[in-house]
Amino acid sequence: MDAPVHHNTYDYDGDERNSSTLDSDITLDYGSDFAKPFLHIFAGKPMCDPSKVHLATNNFKATVKDTEHNSFGDHGFLKDNVTVFQKKGWHLGAGNANTLSYYPELNSLIRAFFDKFLKAAPVHPMNLSSDIVTIETTKE
């Protein structure tokens, strides 16, 4: 989810974002052109350039509005539910969206993807595109 990251990395202190750079000799595979089904999930404010991900057959790219890299882990719940973070206004690198506003759609998307490709169920992840989660795929 919201991977791969680019060569610039960030350390968070509340919402203070300090930039650092990974070794320049690291080559990152953007995870594109997979010959098997794959679901890329990007934050609305991604840590890498989603346009670098080129979709192969049965690959999907979903973007979740108003999220950041840390939205998909504990940070999303913590920023919305821990009083000290709320009082300080810290988003913890998890964006402005309330976690409960996108988790049901994100869960439905992930489930539909696995139902389609692991259970051969007659569902299609593209049917779940919305104002909150936008989904792209190749033309089949």
Side-chain angles (χ1 to χ4, degrees):
M1 294 181 159
D2 198 43
V5 296
H6 53 56
H7 288 277
N8 292 326
T9 60
Y10 301 96
D11 298 315
Y12 283 91
D13 176 14
D15 269 353
E16 184 75 25
R17 189 159 85 164
N18 303 308
S19 180
S20 59
T21 305
L22 297 172
D23 291 338
S24 60
D25 62 348
I26 294 175
T27 303
L28 298 174
D29 177 3
Y30 279 103
S32 59
D33 301 321
F34 287 141
K36 58 186 170 193
F38 199 87
L39 174 61
H40 304 267
I41 300 175
F42 286 97
K45 185 178 180 183
M47 292 287 285
C48 70
D49 182 357
S51 70
K52 301 282 186 191
V53 175
H54 305 288
L55 301 175
T57 302
N58 292 327
N59 283 199
F60 300 86
K61 183 174 16 176
T63 304
V64 184
K65 183 179 176 182
D66 294 330
T67 58
E68 291 185 33
H69 182 74
N70 290 338
S71 296
F72 305 121
D74 292 343
H75 292 82
F77 286 107
L78 292 173
K79 75 170 182 72
D80 292 335
N81 296 299
V82 176
T83 307
V84 69
F85 298 138
Q86 291 172 332
K87 285 181 181 176
K88 291 184 178 269
W90 288 353
H91 291 141
L92 305 175
N96 294 324
N98 181 302
T99 307
L100 297 177
S101 72
Y102 60 86
Y103 258 56
E105 288 189 46
L106 191 58
N107 287 338
S108 293
L109 170 63
I110 294 168
R111 184 175 186 140
F113 177 81
F114 285 119
D115 283 350
K116 179 176 178 64
F117 294 107
L118 294 180
K119 296 180 178 180
V123 297
H124 202 288
M126 286 299 295
N127 294 339
L128 299 173
S129 198
S130 70
D131 290 339
I132 295 173
V133 180
T134 55
I135 305 166
E136 300 172 47
T137 192
T138 57
K139 304 260 190 257
E140 295 179 25

